[in-house]
Amino acid sequence: MCDDCGCAAPGPKVVEVNQSLLAANDALAAKNRTHIEALGAVAINMISSPGSGKTTLLEKTIERLKGELRIGVIEGDIETERDADRIRAKGVPVVQLTTGGACHLDAALTHRGLHALEDQLVDKKLDLLFIENVGNLVCPATFDLGEHQRVVLVSVPEGPDKPAKYPKAFVSSQLFIISKTDLLPYFDFSPAAAAKEALQLNPRLAVMELSAATGEGLDGWLDYLRSLCR
């Protein structure tokens, strides 16, 4: 043990620091929520492992809803602007936030993204704000960003055991999407088993199956989004 890195500190002090950090994050998240509501928007925080298809789902969603709803996107990644470039090509306002190594967005980064996005809005109004979190099923579940809805995705190639392994992401979400269902014939994945485990953790969780590649199940997702904007 040493006196420099904190490893010699008693446990309760570490807990106090963590609680203080989360309290500060939650306070700023509440301000973000007020800011988002002033824009007229509902914010959705999208959480998943890397490669679950979040960006592809957003692309298909924008293609279908762009003429109907005003959509903005905040992209979170450790590095690169690649996801923002894909969304920008769809013609909606987008801001890329890079964490420089951190495995999640927090309320402070999101606050910065909100102001940058607002600069792109012609009439300062939105209907839907998507926040695509950094690919990770652990840390993003801990940090409130100011969203109104949290959506967790698991793709078929990842396997059906993610609810049991990463429970907080499912307990704190309102919707569970099983994505890439066009790949079901090639993987040992039971949507019913995955849904059952998720619902045991959170009985109020809505569950949806879809494939952004084929469009199967996409209408249910779009209706869900429309219902949030009424």
Side-chain angles (χ1 to χ4, degrees):
M1 294 194 296
C2 66
D3 295 328
D4 297 325
C5 71
C7 64
K13 287 189 177 179
V14 175
V15 171
E16 286 171 9
V17 169
N18 287 341
Q19 288 177 338
S20 176
L21 288 172
L22 287 176
N25 181 83
D26 289 348
L28 189 50
K31 290 183 179 178
N32 287 348
R33 210 162 358 257
T34 300
H35 190 157
I36 292 163
E37 289 166 2
L39 298 175
V42 174
I44 300 174
N45 182 4
M46 301 183 73
I47 294 175
S48 77
S49 300
S52 68
K54 296 191 298 298
T55 311
T56 300
L57 179 58
L58 285 180
E59 289 177 310
K60 299 298 182 183
T61 300
I62 293 165
E63 288 174 6
R64 295 280 297 274
L65 292 181
K66 186 180 167 186
E68 182 179 342
L69 298 173
R70 294 166 293 190
I71 297 173
V73 180
I74 293 177
E75 286 285 347
D77 261 316
I78 292 176
E79 296 290 350
T80 86
E81 184 113 356
R82 292 177 184 177
D83 285 353
D85 288 342
R86 289 172 58 181
I87 297 300
R88 196 171 290 116
K90 299 297 176 183
V92 300
V94 59
V95 169
Q96 179 75 55
L97 299 175
T98 52
T99 65
C103 59
H104 60 89
L105 295 177
D106 60 21
L109 261 176
T110 304
H111 186 78
R112 210 164 66 201
L114 275 174
H115 280 288
L117 189 71
E118 199 171 18
D119 290 341
Q120 300 181 37
L121 304 180
V122 176
D123 56 0
K124 306 296 182 188
K125 290 292 181 185
L126 278 177
D127 296 309
L128 272 176
L129 171 63
F130 292 103
I131 305 171
E132 184 179 342
N133 219 312
V134 178
N136 187 326
L137 276 175
V138 184
C139 301
T142 299
F143 289 83
D144 183 5
L145 306 181
E147 71 268 24
H148 300 91
Q149 291 273 311
R150 188 172 286 185
V151 176
V152 58
L153 293 87
V154 172
S155 67
V156 166
E158 294 173 60
D161 58 353
K162 296 300 176 288
K165 286 187 173 181
Y166 306 99
K168 190 162 187 174
F170 297 83
V171 169
S172 65
S173 293
Q174 284 75 42
L175 174 63
F176 170 29
I177 292 179
I178 299 171
S179 61
K180 301 188 180 181
T181 53
D182 53 301
L183 299 179
L184 278 170
Y186 311 105
F187 290 88
D188 183 16
F189 186 107
S190 166
K196 183 179 178 181
E197 287 204 329
L199 289 170
Q200 285 172 344
L201 294 165
N202 180 0
R204 292 181 296 180
L205 193 65
V207 182
M208 203 173 284
E209 302 172 25
L210 60 80
S211 166
T214 66
E216 187 176 5
L218 204 57
D219 285 344
W221 162 244
L222 299 178
D223 286 343
Y224 177 85
L225 296 174
R226 291 185 183 103
S227 72
L228 297 177
C229 296
R230 287 174 189 152

